[in-house]
Amino acid sequence: MAKNGNDHRRQPRIVVIGAGMTGILLAVRMQQAGIEDVTIFEKASRLGGTWRENTYPGVACDVPSHMYTYSFAPNPNWNELFASGDEIQAYFEQVASDQGVQSRIHFEETVTHCIFQENHWRVTTNQGREIAADFVFNCTGILHRPVLPDIDGLDRFRGPTFHTARWDHDVELAGKRIGIIGTGATAAQAIPELAEVTEELVVFQRTPQWILPVGNRTMAPSVKRHLRKHPASLRRLKAFFTWFMSQFLTKAVIGYKVQNTIFTWLCKLNLRWSVKDRALRAKLTPDYRVGCKRIIVNTTFYPAIQRPNVSIETEAIEAVSESAIHTVSGKQHALDVLVLATGFDPMAYMRPMQVLGRNGQSIDQAWEGGIKAYRSICLPGFPNNFLMLGPNSPVGNYSVIAIAEVQCDYLLQLIERWRDGQFDTIEPTTAATENFRNYVKSGHRKTVWVGGCNSWYLDQEGSPILWPYSWRQWTQEMATPEMADFNTDAS
Ligand code: NAP
């Protein structure tokens, strides 16, 4: 453990895995807290996480941009109400550069193993580097491992085939017949863009989605000028979006009847007004409650699906052949390009990295009986090892930046205690972890996520991996660590 000459307290050696939104956040906040020995490993050649990986046409945030910012880096310059992926990527690169954390990142270096030995972590990378750390922060994201559908013959298709998170920009789409599988948040953004350029677009829908009619808006130059000149206005705008999202959208999905009724009516009216054709409307009408799957925020999907060059196929896919998708009734859709908008494995977390805690226990073994983490961030048997945006941290349709900042403040309090010499290692007790799990599970019963649909929110047992209470409750409970819930060790 190093010591800083200007500070009588000890300095932790910190490894941050991943330079996406949470990794950059931690690096900046540690720097602000005077923690100097921070090493960040990033598997790719650029930072940005999900915004680096997702470059599909139409990629954008569905949380208002002015809310989707770090508290220490407000941005009056957003070009749109819902910023495009490119602009968000540029924001993270700018923040990392302004805050001087770029130089701490080791790019194209994947952490392969984290092993707890003799009260510290041995972190090994694919470059053969091995370093010791007092704390490890897994900033590996939630939705980063694409899921490819298990469809017979998918690998036989001769044309270009790619997942939306692996978009092949070399493939010419103009004038082509494109099939897109999936109608989630990603597809809802990509379909209107594809519809503009393709000869023919066939949308393979397994389950329809509820769509909230909130459109994007360009921020006028005068508005941006005003926000630049008046930081208080920018703060008020962020506060307004924060209030709106936490009081309405988040509450609508966690059991508040009035809010849910409002959004249900908005989604139903949107469908009714936007799609006049009864047969098509029937195909697009979900049979589950609004919010059970993530609510799509969009005004372009319904117009796109009604274009003459776009069709929707709701029959199950039986197989893919060299040049077509075949449905169960024998229909055949001849295609040139296949786009897989089939989502991600949200349970991957820090894997495939090998994380071995006390007594060589692996993370897979720790999660054999189901994925869990005390307060979403740590596990018994894995001291000083923390997970950002872990299980049960996403707050319904809320900004993950705000969530990560709360987690970061909480974790910095633990680090400060370590620096004061209160302990060398810290891990939650098994009882506290189980209590937290039961507490979260009991809250899920009244949410809409268990409202009869299948979604990426649900784990193997059908339990949502989201926070089932309000944003306010989240911030209150995360304000100060409950030290009685931890086991600590001092040498
Ligand atoms: P998703 O919501 O999991 O949607 C996957 C889609 O693929 C669903 O329509 C699913 O159908 C379909 N699918 C999967 N396997 C299939 C198969 N074998 N055959 C036919 N259809 C299949 O994934 P996503 O759209 O990538 O979105 C994931 C999450 O990313 C979102 O909920 C959101 O949190 C985030 N996201 C956010 C934004 C944003 O604006 N901030 C944008 C994009 C994504 P079923 O519904 O029947 O399973």
Side-chain angles (χ1 to χ4, degrees), residues 21-59:
M21 179 276 287
T22 58
I24 296 163
L25 166 67
L26 271 164
V28 171
R29 296 299 310 281
M30 299 234 188
Q31 192 161 282
Q32 289 170 347
I35 297 167
E36 294 166 351
D37 190 349
V38 178
T39 306
I40 308 166
F41 291 112
E42 167 54 57
K43 67 179 190 301
S45 56
R46 286 170 78 197
L47 55 79
T50 196
W51 300 106
R52 177 198 64 231
E53 307 238 319
N54 285 278
T55 59
Y56 59 85
V59 59

Side-chain angles (χ1 to χ4, degrees), residues 51 56 60-62 143 149 151 181-187 189 206-207 293-294 341-344 456:
W51 300 106
Y56 59 85
C61 191
D62 63 0
L143 300 170
I151 299 174
I181 302 179
T183 48
T186 300
Q189 290 179 340
R206 192 164 64 179
T207 316
K293 285 172 179 282
R294 187 179 169 101
T342 42
F344 301 85
W456 69 261

